[in-house]
Amino acid sequence: MTFSDLNYIFRLLPIFLIIYYLTPAKFRPWTLLAESLVFYYINEPILIVVLVAGTFVTWCFAKINIYRRWKWLLALGIILDVSLLGFFKACGVLKLGIIIPIGLSYFVFKLISYQVDSFRGMISGTSFIDLANYLLMFPQIISGPIARFNYIIENDFWRKGQDKFGARFYKVISRIEDGLKYFVIGLFFKVIIADHLAILWNDIKTIGYESISTPLAWLGAYTYSLDLYFDFWGYSLMAAGVGIMLGFPFIRNFDQPYFASSISDFYRRWHSTLGTWFRDYVYFPLGGNRKGWLRTAFNLIVVWIFTGIWHGITLNFLIWAGVICLIIMIEKFVLSHVKWLYIIIGRINILVIIPVTWVIFAIHSFKDLRLYLLRLFPIWDISIAVNGNDYIKCLKSYWPFLALGLFFTMPFVTNIYKKHKDNFLIVLGLFGLFWVAIFSLANSSGNPFMYLRF
């Protein structure tokens, strides 16, 4: 059951919220933990044991290390965390019939974050319930975002306030209203834009990469780029919205990445909680950019190797990560010295290179990837029975969803919403978007979030 499931939207989430707010403030953390375990059990009834065991072991390690500061214990904890993730990913690659638990990659990164921050003295105390909610809370357990531990302790609704009942009730309703707005926007992005663009991408795969024209290959690259963006941005907004409904702060995971100035800037704006995790727990501990350009290059290579492996132990992810790393190093060490060239090449990279790298990201088979790249860049002819006007047919069928995707990537749309989100017309528009998405869901089989497999 995902956030875009009708049973979740109309049954599970309302029931969870009612029970959560009927619970006295000091017991709400336990209510949230119970609800999170129920949610995960519905999705993964057997492998939930792995996450519960990982939570308990991490709590034990942190309880010791927050006082002792033993480096060997921290290293052992990180090795166990990475080994856990590596074991399940390797089982998937070797096809041993052992399924990776949903959300394990995000869970393991939170385990490491908590242990390192505890060792550094950034976390005071080792409350089991706070740690369990940080690791297992249902808005984030499946596909992130990768919050830090202070996200949990910033919830005002876990402390009994001095306000009268009416004031507390108004505060709760206001938070639920704010959260619902983000949830509705994310639902619309996922169901109306991403899911329909996914159909076009699947149509291109059905035609066969050797039989698509070069214009359709480029249309496919941009389609998949928008599909992935709105699928994951939509999920992130829905997760953030549910978090706000429960009393947590908004967590930003995307910040207009397609209007970035360079690929370096793009990945500061795209899935930013993952990027800051690698920055704080891999790049900076290796020395960052403080030890000369050779060491900086080495650190970037390490970060992007880990980024590729985190997404999957297949060749296409390593190629994708390698291409991104190479371009970032060119931007950092060469283009940054010529400002006007950096600006021009940076925008070209965003608009041309990024869609090509998403094709590498999407196609796991090296043979199929080679075919697609040769249709994008037809330096020699490998085509079979190509219809030169195939892209026109696809545009006729899918242009409304492509247009919506392009419209909502524009920064001015987000800026208007931020300034006028409480305006009656904006609220009325969100109401309409919600029911359009629900109608679409009711007439489709549903399409899982793309980042669930990571």
Side-chain angles (χ1 to χ4, degrees):
M1 181 183 292
T2 64
F3 293 169
S4 57
D5 189 302
L6 290 173
N7 285 315
Y8 175 84
I9 295 169
F10 289 107
R11 293 179 181 174
L12 197 67
L13 181 58
I15 291 171
F16 276 7
L17 288 173
I18 291 169
I19 295 173
Y20 179 78
Y21 280 112
L22 287 177
T23 304
K26 66 178 180 179
F27 296 117
R28 279 179 192 151
W30 292 99
T31 301
L32 176 59
L33 178 59
E35 292 174 345
S36 298
L37 292 173
V38 168
F39 177 76
Y40 197 85
Y41 181 83
I42 291 170
N43 287 283
E44 197 75 271
I46 297 175
L47 295 175
I48 188 175
V49 176
V50 174
L51 274 65
V52 173
T55 300
F56 182 74
V57 170
T58 297
W59 177 68
C60 292
F61 278 30
K63 198 169 182 63
I64 298 170
N65 234 10
I66 203 167
Y67 301 109
R68 298 289 185 179
R69 306 282 172 85
W70 286 335
K71 288 185 178 180
W72 69 266
L73 188 60
L74 173 63
L76 177 61
I78 293 174
I79 289 170
L80 289 175
D81 296 338
V82 173
S83 298
L84 175 67
L85 181 59
F87 169 76
F88 281 102
K89 282 191 175 287
C91 288
V93 172
L94 298 174
K95 299 180 180 179
L96 299 179
I98 300 176
I99 302 171
I100 185 170
I102 295 173
L104 183 65
S105 297
Y106 300 91
F107 176 77
V108 165
F109 273 25
K110 283 187 172 184
L111 290 178
I112 295 172
S113 171
Y114 183 81
Q115 291 185 79
V116 173
D117 288 352
S118 296
F119 181 83
R120 292 172 174 172
M122 298 169 64
I123 295 173
S124 58
T126 52
S127 164
F128 177 79
I129 185 62
D130 286 346
L131 172 61
N133 273 313
Y134 168 60
L135 296 172
L136 300 171
M137 64 180 298
F138 73 89
Q140 296 181 5
I141 185 60
I142 289 183
S143 289
I146 307 171
R148 302 299 170 86
F149 183 73
N150 63 349
Y151 176 82
I152 285 291
I153 61 178
E154 289 178 10
N155 192 324
D156 292 334
F157 293 157
W158 287 4
R159 292 178 288 275
K160 187 176 181 180
Q162 302 300 317
D163 297 334
K164 293 183 179 180
F165 173 79
R168 293 200 308 272
F169 181 76
Y170 177 78
K171 191 181 293 185
V172 168
I173 294 299
S174 297
R175 293 303 297 267
I176 291 176
E177 180 187 358
D178 284 345
L180 273 173
K181 289 173 182 176
Y182 285 112
F183 187 90
V184 167
I185 295 169
L187 181 68
F188 182 82
F189 285 172
K190 161 65 180 168
V191 174
I192 300 301
I193 301 178
D195 284 0
H196 287 87
L197 292 179
I199 298 172
L200 173 53
W201 177 248
N202 287 328
D203 286 349
I204 291 172
K205 287 193 282 188
T206 302
I207 294 170
Y209 299 144
E210 71 279 1
S211 299
I212 60 175
S213 67
T214 293
L216 182 57
W218 279 102
L219 177 62
Y222 287 108
T223 295
Y224 183 80
S225 301
L226 291 173
D227 177 18
L228 185 63
Y229 179 41
F230 284 101
D231 187 281
F232 199 22
W233 189 20
Y235 168 85
S236 297
L237 287 172
M238 294 169 79
V242 175
I244 291 171
M245 291 184 222
L246 295 169
F248 297 102
F250 177 76
I251 183 167
R252 185 182 303 281
N253 210 20
F254 290 84
D255 186 15
Q256 307 297 334
Y258 284 100
F259 282 81
S261 60
S262 64
I263 287 187
S264 305
D265 188 30
F266 181 90
Y267 279 100
R268 283 191 287 267
R269 298 163 176 250
W270 175 283
H271 199 177
S272 56
T273 57
L274 178 65
T276 54
W277 191 96
F278 275 113
R279 181 197 66 193
D280 293 345
Y281 301 108
V282 180
Y283 185 67
F284 283 171
L286 287 172
N289 59 0
R290 301 187 303 272
K291 298 184 178 181
W293 72 270
L294 269 177
R295 184 59 181 269
T296 300
F298 172 79
N299 295 342
L300 286 170
I301 290 169
V302 170
V303 165
W304 280 97
I305 288 174
F306 285 158
T307 303
I309 293 173
W310 182 85
H311 284 89
I313 312 177
T314 53
L315 184 60
N316 69 304
F317 289 123
L318 293 177
I319 296 172
W320 165 76
V323 170
I324 295 296
C325 181
L326 177 62
I327 296 172
I328 287 175
M329 286 195 291
I330 292 171
E331 289 179 345
K332 189 175 188 67
F333 300 128
V334 180
L335 295 177
S336 61
H337 298 291
V338 186
K339 187 175 181 180
W340 66 269
L341 189 61
Y342 180 87
I343 294 171
I344 295 172
I345 299 298
R347 288 304 300 158
I348 292 173
N349 285 342
I350 297 297
L351 298 176
V352 178
I353 303 300
I354 285 292
V356 174
T357 61
W358 286 138
V359 169
I360 300 171
F361 184 91
I363 302 175
H364 294 195
S365 164
F366 186 76
K367 178 184 176 183
D368 288 343
L369 178 58
R370 174 181 170 273
L371 286 173
Y372 202 104
L373 291 176
L374 285 173
R375 297 313 300 144
L376 284 173
F377 306 99
I379 53 178
W380 72 77
D381 190 12
I382 48 88
S383 60
I384 301 175
V386 172
N387 176 3
N389 295 320
D390 51 6
Y391 68 98
I392 297 176
K393 180 181 178 181
C394 290
L395 280 173
K396 286 180 178 178
S397 300
Y398 293 99
W399 73 264
F401 309 107
L402 290 164
L404 278 173
L406 293 173
F407 176 75
F408 282 108
T409 59
M410 300 294 176
F412 79 87
V413 179
T414 302
N415 293 335
I416 289 174
Y417 174 76
K418 288 178 180 177
K419 290 179 181 178
H420 306 288
K421 65 178 182 177
D422 295 324
N423 183 280
F424 174 75
L425 292 178
I426 296 292
V427 174
L428 188 64
L430 291 176
F431 183 79
L433 295 183
F434 174 75
W435 286 109
V436 168
I438 294 301
F439 179 79
S440 180
L441 275 175
N443 290 279
S444 67
S445 58
N447 191 21
F449 288 96
M450 297 167 76
Y451 257 69
L452 286 180
R453 66 176 182 268
F454 303 127

